[in-house]
Amino acid sequence: MLFRRREPVTISERLRAFFWPRKGLSRGPRYIALRILRLNSSPHSIAVGVAAGAAAACTPLFGLHIVLAVILAWIFSGNLVAAVITTALANPITIPVILTVSYEIGVALTGPQAGPGVGSAEIARLIEQMQLAELWGPVLKPVLVGSLALALAGALIFYPLAFQTARIFQVRRRERLQKAGYPS
């Protein structure tokens, strides 16, 4: 018999597998990291690409992260694939954190805005009515200023980490290949 019949899967088992995959939550990030490390580029190029992707992921320009990352990586001669892959740092789990941190950094840098505070219900109403001019001072300006600072910090943190990791990975890979008898 070529195919073994599987037992029916219950809803509770499907829900458990959705929230906690059988192979663990770290499998996806490990796979992405290995995809980046296996790129055929110099450690500097990979690190610049990773830094560009991380910087782009820290901006509130949703839908444009990949475009921004590719432009930054191209300007600084980084690996474009590493930049695109790293934009996955901005995902539905991290975006609320990134926006909150960007806003708080922006308020700290620009100072509190004069006038009444804007609550979440008021923000939703202004966005729904496309009155973005009224959101500029209390919300959009701090988020943009804070995201620039956060993007710079992200790039400065991710570049050395990616550079050292790529360098060590490539040295070890070269040693393994030489040990196996492959020319370098």
Side-chain angles (χ1 to χ4, degrees), residues 108-146:
L109 292 175
T110 62
Q113 300 297 315
V118 179
S120 59
E122 181 69 10
I123 291 172
R125 184 188 65 76
L126 290 172
I127 290 173
E128 185 177 303
Q129 296 174 357
M130 295 300 288
Q131 296 176 348
L132 300 180
E134 293 180 34
L135 282 176
W136 174 251
V139 178
L140 297 178
K141 182 180 174 185
V143 168
L144 287 174
V145 170

Side-chain angles (χ1 to χ4, degrees), residues 33-79:
L34 281 174
R35 285 293 302 141
I36 292 171
L37 291 173
R38 289 179 180 151
L39 291 171
N40 192 16
S41 288
S42 69
H44 170 72
S45 177
I46 292 171
V48 169
V50 168
C58 291
T59 65
L61 305 174
F62 307 117
L64 298 175
H65 286 160
I66 291 175
V67 173
L68 181 61
V70 167
I71 291 170
L72 288 172
W74 181 74
I75 289 171
F76 294 107
S77 300
N79 188 292

Side-chain angles (χ1 to χ4, degrees), residues 156-175:
L156 292 175
I157 290 169
F158 275 90
Y159 176 84
L161 290 173
F163 180 83
Q164 288 299 326
T165 306
R167 189 182 61 76
I168 291 169
F169 182 85
Q170 288 179 359
V171 165
R172 288 181 180 168
R173 185 178 199 185
R174 202 173 305 118
E175 288 172 354

